[in-house]
Amino acid sequence: MSFGRQLAAIAGKDLRIELRAREILYTATLFSVVVIVVFLFSGFGDSGETRRAAPGVLWVTIAFVGTLVFGRTFQREREQNAIAGLLLAPSIVGPLFAAKLLVNLALLGAIELIVVPVVTVTFGVPLAAVGGAVALVVALGTLGFAALGTVLAASLSTLRLREVLLPIVLYPLCLPLLLACVKATQLLVAGDGLGAARGWLSIVVAFDVLYLALSRWLFGQALEGSA
Amino acid sequence: MTGTWGLRPPAFRRVRVSEVSRAFGRSHALFRVSTELHAGTVTAIVGPNGAGKTTLLNLLATLDRPSEGNVTFGEGAGSVTHRAAIRPHIGLVAHDTMLYPELTGRENLRFTADVCGVDPAAVSTWLARVGLEAAADSPAATYSRGMRQRLAIARALLTEPTLVLLDEPLTGLDASGRAFLSETLRELRAADRIVVMVTHHLDWGSSELDRAIVVARGRIRFDGAPPETLADLYAREVA
């Protein structure tokens, strides 16, 4: 059985469903814009203060939107108990984890393509000067965050209070990663460059590796509990 | 239903359920249940609501684990209890259709073919077999309950499984659907498959079934050749 064929089938199916339903992209994008607007009107003083708030606003928005995306992508497998059919496929755990992670990254990435420019522009961050470096931090941070979100969404998918439990479990576990992302983004927004942010970026990469390994290891057990 | 069946030989010829119990908290859904299922047979499991029928089916499907006892697939030295090795040989039609309503009938079967390593050409064959050619490119969400059930049956049989588990397969099916299912059961029997069907339809009988199991309060009350209809058996063992 081909890993690639299974991965492509699951990821393709999820993206096709999302392109038809558009429920994750529309709701999550609208939600993220509302969060940004609320922060924007919360009474920051001068432009420097507003700019210093941008990294926190960006990562809070990504964290909020992430739970919407992760929960929904796995919930689709539960609605008609399609997960039971998937579990009967040969050697499915690896391809299923990879596919769900890729879909979560793709959907969160699509929303970030809107969120990052909106935050940088509205909070007075010079996008042209720091946009590339910020995009790198966002990409690296999103990878570890999505890995942890993927396995937690799978393991909580059978529970009645899954929508409440996912952020309660996910946020404390990925807090070190999010804090490192905020600090790295803060240095970049302040104009200190990638060199100054290297230490925080190393921490982000380390958490990516840890969360990816842990999530892949736990995903099989999470699936068995969701059948 | 027309066409060939049994291109893939059965992977095993017996399933043995040995002293299996399944507890949820303090209550037992099944208690020390033992039985054997053989290739080329169609077995019906009947019983009142909450008797443990679906729990037994889920244990056979390896989607649940017994609290005690074990389920063994195959015979002697070749027997297997490892779930990952067995699952690709199981076809399941459950209470839920296990379909994606946003996808068309063809896309649902193509998805199953891709994740299970089945030749995509089999998709059109199965759509024709279950009479869904005309609706194949409409979203499954627009199907009637009977059409969704036909698609669910096609999805379960697409991989030519050795162990076919059907939970209330007649749900939503009309008279032609019932005839299609009877024909399918005959083909599965002829192809040496092990078929287990949970049903509340008591008009099935000895002409379609090789065996009947009556479950009540988590225990097997009867296990043997069915009488003329399941209704007679049910009235004797349960009512």
Side-chain angles (χ1 to χ4, degrees), chain B residues 213-233:
Chain B
I213 296 174
V214 179
V215 182
R217 294 185 178 180
R219 294 170 192 265
I220 291 181
R221 294 279 188 89
F222 175 89
D223 186 351
E228 197 169 325
T229 69
L230 289 175
D232 302 337
L233 183 63

Side-chain angles (χ1 to χ4, degrees), chain B:
Chain B
M1 188 167 120
T2 57
T4 56
W5 171 269
L7 297 174
R8 276 179 65 183
F12 46 86
R13 300 188 61 81
R14 187 184 73 179
V15 179
R16 174 178 281 174
V17 178
S18 306
E19 293 286 305
V20 162
S21 298
R22 180 67 174 99
F24 295 98
R26 286 182 178 178
S27 67
H28 276 83
L30 288 174
F31 187 72
R32 292 190 174 174
V33 167
S34 296
T35 189
E36 275 194 17
L37 305 160
H38 297 275
T41 60
V42 178
T43 303
I45 302 178
V46 295
N49 292 332
K53 305 182 298 295
T54 299
T55 302
L56 180 55
L57 209 69
N58 283 337
L59 290 168
L60 290 170
T62 73
L63 296 173
D64 195 5
R65 290 177 195 269
S67 309
E68 291 173 40
N70 57 64
V71 182
T72 312
F73 301 82
E75 295 175 295
S79 66
V80 181
T81 53
H82 190 241
R83 305 203 292 181
I86 292 301
R87 284 179 168 176
H89 304 293
I90 295 174
L92 174 65
V93 175
H95 272 302
D96 296 314
T97 57
M98 293 154 63
L99 301 168
Y100 299 97
E102 299 89 348
L103 300 184
T104 67
R106 189 185 307 281
E107 287 169 341
N108 267 289
L109 292 194
R110 178 61 199 259
F111 174 69
T112 300
D114 285 340
V115 295
C116 294
V118 173
D119 182 355
V123 169
S124 297
T125 307
W126 274 101
L127 284 167
R129 283 185 179 192
V130 298
L132 289 175
E133 281 170 304
D137 296 310
S138 300
T142 64
Y143 287 10
S144 69
R145 183 66 181 90
M147 291 165 79
R148 287 201 299 273
Q149 189 71 356
R150 285 169 183 256
L151 188 61
I153 292 170
R155 189 203 53 74
L157 300 182
L158 185 70
T159 57
E160 296 202 18
T162 297
L163 176 61
V164 179
L165 304 170
L166 309 166
D167 197 350
E168 293 293 349
L170 283 175
T171 303
L173 292 184
D174 55 14
S176 72
R178 166 77 189 248
F180 148 74
L181 186 61
S182 296
E183 173 65 18
T184 303
L185 294 179
R186 276 194 288 278
E187 291 194 19
L188 289 166
R189 181 193 285 129
D192 264 353
R193 265 51 189 178
I194 303 169
V195 183
V196 182
M197 173 174 65
V198 166
T199 184
H200 282 294
H201 288 82
L202 301 177
D203 52 345
W204 294 93
S206 52
S207 61
E208 290 149 316
L209 306 171
D210 302 295
R211 197 154 153 222
I213 296 174
V214 179
V215 182
R217 294 185 178 180
R219 294 170 192 265
I220 291 181
R221 294 279 188 89
F222 175 89
D223 186 351
E228 197 169 325
T229 69
L230 289 175
D232 302 337
L233 183 63
Y234 194 89
R236 196 176 73 216
E237 300 292 337
V238 179

Side-chain angles (χ1 to χ4, degrees), chain A residues 87-102:
Chain A
L87 288 178
L88 295 178
S91 311
I92 198 65
V93 176
L96 183 56
F97 174 72
K100 289 294 176 188
L101 177 59
L102 282 177

